[in-house]
């Protein structure tokens, strides 16, 4: 046991666990705001107002059509220069995840609402509910149930995407690993533990999502 604890595989763990905290912070906070953005843009994509639909569609297509790494660099370097501010790299990371995930969540929201039978809206209107009330009390609960599995998948994707923030020196796991093995010359051992930590999170999450999917029968 002592030999294992003193091995090159375990020595970087304090640094990697520190990076894991940043990874989870960026993921959870970024996805929280990403869901807000995605819900707004998703309903915008469902709007019959051409301006709202157009703006929402432009946002979704731009974000989905460009690499996340380019978005990160644009936000941290380009946006900082444009606004003449010194943007904190953690703020830039959360903003990048929120905007990127928001575009994909917008399509999840749009698809989930579309999947609810149109007769549900007619039924709601027939009992005296307004269109907004019908959406809130009848359509949205059914749609949200169908959103849970893809939202879980988006969590896993965004979690792995945080590794790209090493490009702007955010102290997440990959950056911590690179900093560590640059001085210890143990890239194989260090990166093996990085992959293991990612798997410790993503595999149970994926299994739990499958269980929820079966339970919800979606």
């Amino acid at each position: 046991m002592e030999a294992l604890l003193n091995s090159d595989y375990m020595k970087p763990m304090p640094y990697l666990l520190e990076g894991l905290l940043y990874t989870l912070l960026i993921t959870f906070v970024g996805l929280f705001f990403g869901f807000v953005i995605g819900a707004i843009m998703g309903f915008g994509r469902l709007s019959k107002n051409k301006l709202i639909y157009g703006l929402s569609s432009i946002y979704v297509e731009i974000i989905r059509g460009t690499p996340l790494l380019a978005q990160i660099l644009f936000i941290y370097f380009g946006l900082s220069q444009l606004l003449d501010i010194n943007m904190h790299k953690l703020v830039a990371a959360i903003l990048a995840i929120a905007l990127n995930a928001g575009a994909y969540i917008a399509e999840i929201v749009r698809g989930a609402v579309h999947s609810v039978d149109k007769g549900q809206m007619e039924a709601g209107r027939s009992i005296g509910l307004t269109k907004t009330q019908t959406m809130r009390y009848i359509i949205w609960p059914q749609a949200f149930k169908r959103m849970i599995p893809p939202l879980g998948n988006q969590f896993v994707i965004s979690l792995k995407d945080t590794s790209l923030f090493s490009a702007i020196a955010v102290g997440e796991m990959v950056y911590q690993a690179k900093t560590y093995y640059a001085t210890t010359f143990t890239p194989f051992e260090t990166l093996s533990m990085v992959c293991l930590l990612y798997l410790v999170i993503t595999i149970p999450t994926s299994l739990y999502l499958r269980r929820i999917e079966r339970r919800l029968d979606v």
Side-chain angles (χ1 to χ4, degrees):
M1 180 62 71
E2 185 177 348
L4 177 63
L5 293 176
N6 291 324
S7 69
D8 288 334
Y9 289 94
M10 296 304 295
K11 286 180 180 178
M13 285 303 289
Y15 301 93
L16 299 183
L17 290 175
E18 181 182 343
L20 178 61
L21 292 178
Y22 277 99
T23 295
L24 294 174
L25 174 65
I26 294 167
T27 303
F28 281 109
V29 178
L31 282 179
F32 171 79
F33 289 109
F35 181 78
V36 174
I37 294 170
I40 294 171
M41 293 300 170
F43 280 110
R45 295 268 281 170
L46 293 167
S47 176
K48 294 182 180 179
N49 184 298
K50 291 184 179 181
L51 178 61
I52 295 175
Y53 174 81
L55 291 174
S56 301
S57 297
I58 289 171
Y59 160 74
V60 170
E61 295 303 326
I62 288 176
I63 296 298
R64 294 183 63 180
T66 54
L68 176 56
L69 181 57
Q71 295 166 18
I72 294 168
L73 297 175
F74 177 81
I75 290 170
Y76 187 60
F77 295 109
L79 203 57
S80 295
Q81 179 187 13
L82 179 66
L83 301 177
D84 194 24
I85 58 174
N86 185 20
M87 185 179 295
H88 194 282
K89 53 192 175 185
L90 187 59
V91 174
I94 291 172
L95 182 58
I97 283 291
L99 291 174
N100 183 267
Y104 291 92
I105 292 173
E107 288 299 278
I108 292 172
V109 171
R110 184 183 67 85
V113 173
H114 263 314
S115 70
V116 177
D117 192 284
K118 292 182 180 179
Q120 298 288 322
M121 177 62 75
E122 297 171 1
R125 299 303 298 276
S126 69
I127 61 174
L129 297 178
T130 65
K131 188 174 181 180
T132 302
Q133 289 174 326
T134 304
M135 178 62 70
R136 179 180 176 183
Y137 295 113
I138 298 178
I139 306 298
W140 180 251
Q142 297 179 66
F144 185 75
K145 175 182 174 181
R146 301 178 186 190
M147 279 189 273
I148 292 176
L151 285 176
N153 291 332
Q154 184 60 48
F155 166 79
V156 173
I157 292 169
S158 294
L159 177 75
K160 293 185 292 183
D161 283 345
T162 58
S163 62
L164 295 173
F165 294 122
S166 61
I168 58 174
V170 175
E172 46 72 52
M173 279 199 293
V174 172
Y175 180 78
Q176 292 288 85
K178 290 168 64 177
T179 303
Y180 179 83
Y181 72 66
T183 57
T184 60
F185 306 104
T186 56
F188 178 82
E189 295 86 348
T190 305
L191 292 174
S192 294
M193 297 310 294
V194 170
C195 293
L196 179 62
L197 286 173
Y198 275 116
L199 290 173
V200 164
I201 300 171
T202 58
I203 290 178
T205 301
S206 298
L207 293 175
Y208 183 65
L209 287 172
R210 290 176 192 170
R211 182 179 177 184
I212 291 178
E213 191 172 349
R214 289 194 299 268
R215 181 173 295 180
L216 294 176
D217 192 26
V218 296

